[in-house]
Amino acid sequence: MQEPTTFAREAKQLEQLKSLVADCLAEARRQGATSAEAGVSLEHGLSVTARMGEVETIEHHRSRGLGVTVYVGQRKGSASTTDLSATAMRETVEAACRIAQYAAEDEYAGLPDRDMLATEFPDLDVYHPWDLDAETAINLAIGCENAARQFHPEIVNSEGASLNTFQGLRVLGNSLGFLHGYASSRHSLSCSVIGQRGDSMQRDDWWTVARDARDMEAAELVGRKAAERTVKRLGARSLSTRQCPVIFAADIASSLLGHLIGAIRGGNLYRKSSFLLDHLGKQIFPAFIRIREEPHLKKALGSAPYDAEGVRTRPHHIVKDGILESYVLSTYSARKLGMKTTGNAGGVHNLVIDPGELDLEGLLKRMNTGLLVTELMGQGVNPVTGDYSRGASGFWVENGEIQFPVEEITIAGNLRDMFMNLQAVGNDVDLRGNTRTGSILLDKMTVAGN
């Protein structure tokens, strides 16, 4: 529960930051800008790392910043500072205006259309400060790591446990009259340990993250999961090269949707560097797939009432019945494409794929024989062609049951085929990020081993 005194303090700071942004915009007009936008942030938090039962680091961090973008006609200039004084603000505006004087004209540059800006600001419940002192944080981190180290005799070493808290204020304004700010928080705890069985050594981890510390998994549970995952990987072997079905575990399946968003992001589209160029309105997934943006979910990590330009966010389908319904556009990229912004300057806000009826165990049984991938390595994805090739590790599955852990393999395919041959989405949805998805079963990929 947030203390009334905390609320009052944050409310006062928000008003001060709004006043600073308003002064910045007025100064930009005074210095000759035809339009401008400015944003200011004030953040603080605590980070603690423990390893082998001892404290490694304790950091209290504070940051603040002011960024301003001015437009002189169609010329754009930007500057920023960490000094929030009135003098520094004026100098920052002056620097942005000076840059704009020398910038090339760009017919697509400028603020969003006024009617696209947010005018309603729902309470998304994203601010839950954690009044955590260093001693309590240390005890939580050590307790988490101890639970991992004591889980099994084969856990022989540790990369440590880390606890991080963050809370901050952000205000955004522009010369069209938009001026708004709000507070947010984010807290996380992670643990990584090393196991050994004979000559085989493996590491794995687990983590929990939430806006509200009360929604995080218990420290001991995080540690035990990290250790359990590590022990399961011991004795891993490679596979011979083959083609087979593949399941991406829920905590890495979000990477597949990340490649989708990259392919339909405005910047890649107007540069013609996307394998989904000109695919709007076309079938790119099986008909049962629905992927949507849900920016107003309470307490969700990606929730926001507006994007980085102040454009209102809205729930909408990106893929419906397998058909690409929407690109991901900022004002600039939308104008380059002759379209309207989708409120995605700065990225997507809570990407959700509709889950199916099966949990991971059910997906394994449906797959029968194939590969369960639990870790990906490398960046072997070509956004222009969709060619996909990444190092992987996980588990070999036969008759719907895990048989043994595997490592030193590569999985390969093409994202177009991978999307169209998606067989099922699990209901084991991972809520620990901006993308919410269960495990994903793909019909066939090439697995290269020894």
Side-chain angles (χ1 to χ4, degrees):
M1 184 75 178
Q2 184 173 307
E3 296 293 335
T5 53
T6 301
F7 178 82
R9 182 176 66 248
E10 305 297 4
K12 182 179 179 180
Q13 287 182 321
L14 263 178
E15 290 307 311
Q16 292 171 341
L17 296 181
K18 285 182 180 180
S19 179
L20 174 61
V21 169
D23 290 346
C24 185
L25 296 172
E27 180 66 22
R29 286 193 297 271
R30 191 188 69 79
Q31 294 195 28
T34 51
S35 61
E37 64 182 6
V40 63
S41 63
L42 198 62
E43 303 168 350
H44 68 276
L46 170 68
S47 297
V48 170
T49 300
R51 181 178 175 275
M52 303 303 288
E54 301 289 338
V55 180
E56 279 207 329
T57 61
I58 303 174
E59 297 180 6
H60 288 275
H61 39 89
R62 293 182 179 272
S63 64
R64 56 185 183 178
L66 168 68
V68 58
T69 296
V70 302
Y71 298 93
V72 179
Q74 300 300 121
R75 302 174 186 269
K76 174 183 174 181
S78 298
S80 62
T81 180
T82 57
D83 184 345
L84 302 187
S85 68
T87 299
M89 179 271 289
R90 288 191 294 270
E91 292 174 348
T92 303
V93 172
E94 181 181 0
C97 289
R98 189 165 57 248
I99 292 169
Q101 295 290 341
Y102 293 99
E105 288 195 1
D106 187 340
E107 62 179 307
Y108 305 107
L111 297 177
D113 295 337
R114 189 187 301 270
D115 62 357
M116 301 297 290
L117 296 173
T119 55
E120 297 179 358
F121 308 98
D123 179 11
L124 301 179
D125 201 19
V126 295
Y127 183 54
H128 295 272
W130 192 2
D131 186 17
L132 185 70
D133 58 59
E135 183 177 357
T136 303
I138 290 168
N139 290 336
L140 284 170
I142 290 177
C144 177
E145 191 203 31
N146 282 344
R149 293 171 60 206
Q150 297 165 7
F151 175 80
H152 195 280
E154 291 177 322
I155 299 297
V156 297
N157 206 338
S158 171
E159 293 182 344
S162 296
L163 186 147
N164 297 279
T165 74
F166 156 87
Q167 54 207 56
L169 305 171
R170 290 178 180 269
V171 172
L172 178 68
N174 63 36
S175 54
L176 296 175
F178 179 87
L179 182 62
H180 189 264
Y182 59 95
S184 64
S185 60
R186 182 186 180 101
H187 316 293
S188 64
L189 175 65
S190 62
C191 183
S192 176
V193 290
I194 298 169
Q196 182 171 7
R197 179 184 301 159
D199 293 332
S200 172
M201 295 186 71
Q202 297 286 344
R203 61 158 295 283
D204 213 322
D205 56 19
W206 193 250
W207 73 97
T208 181
V209 59
R211 296 282 193 182
D212 187 341
R214 293 171 294 186
D215 296 330
M216 296 168 62
E217 293 182 2
E220 291 76 14
L221 179 59
V222 172
R224 288 197 299 269
K225 283 187 176 181
E228 181 181 21
R229 287 164 61 90
T230 301
V231 171
K232 283 182 177 179
R233 293 179 60 165
L234 291 170
R237 63 184 91 159
S238 188
L239 293 170
S240 59
T241 297
R242 65 192 71 188
Q243 286 195 324
C244 65
V246 171
I247 292 175
F248 284 70
D251 54 325
I252 63 167
S254 59
S255 67
L256 287 177
L257 300 187
H259 297 313
L260 166 68
I261 296 303
I264 61 174
R265 184 171 285 121
N268 288 334
L269 292 170
Y270 74 70
R271 295 186 186 97
K272 301 188 183 302
S273 58
S274 167
F275 69 94
L276 291 181
L277 193 65
D278 300 323
H279 274 62
L280 195 64
K282 296 181 180 179
Q283 189 101 21
I284 62 170
F285 282 95
F288 68 89
I289 294 296
R290 294 189 173 199
I291 302 171
R292 62 192 188 279
E293 188 179 17
E294 293 284 358
H296 300 159
L297 297 176
K298 296 276 189 175
K299 282 189 175 182
L301 294 172
S303 293
Y306 47 84
D307 71 1
E309 298 176 317
V311 172
R312 61 181 174 272
T313 54
R314 61 184 178 87
H316 68 110
H317 275 95
I318 292 176
V319 174
K320 186 176 182 181
D321 301 331
I323 296 171
L324 182 61
E325 296 267 308
S326 172
Y327 289 146
V328 173
L329 307 176
S330 65
T331 297
Y332 183 82
S333 62
R335 288 172 180 163
K336 292 276 283 187
L337 294 167
M339 305 177 75
K340 288 281 191 180
T341 175
T342 58
N344 290 117
V348 294
H349 309 90
N350 299 323
L351 191 67
V352 179
I353 183 169
D354 285 0
E357 298 178 353
L358 300 176
D359 58 11
L360 178 57
E361 183 178 352
L363 287 180
L364 292 175
K365 292 188 182 304
R366 176 171 173 178
M367 179 174 69
N368 189 40
T369 299
L371 178 68
L372 169 62
V373 177
T374 58
E375 185 177 19
L376 293 167
M377 293 151 276
Q379 302 296 325
V381 182
N382 187 324
V384 179
T385 64
D387 289 337
Y388 184 99
S389 178
R390 299 188 66 182
S393 60
F395 299 89
W396 182 248
V397 177
E398 292 179 1
N399 300 317
E401 301 286 343
I402 290 176
Q403 301 299 310
F404 54 84
V406 297
E407 63 179 356
E408 297 179 355
I409 58 173
T410 299
I411 56 173
N414 184 279
L415 286 167
R416 279 197 195 92
D417 300 330
M418 292 162 67
F419 290 166
M420 281 301 299
N421 293 326
L422 196 155
Q423 299 294 298
V425 180
N427 62 17
D428 54 333
V429 179
D430 189 350
L431 303 179
R432 296 173 301 166
N434 190 39
T435 300
R436 297 184 168 203
T437 177
S439 299
I440 290 178
L441 169 61
L442 302 180
D443 178 51
K444 188 178 294 185
M445 292 186 72
T446 298
V447 178
N450 52 29

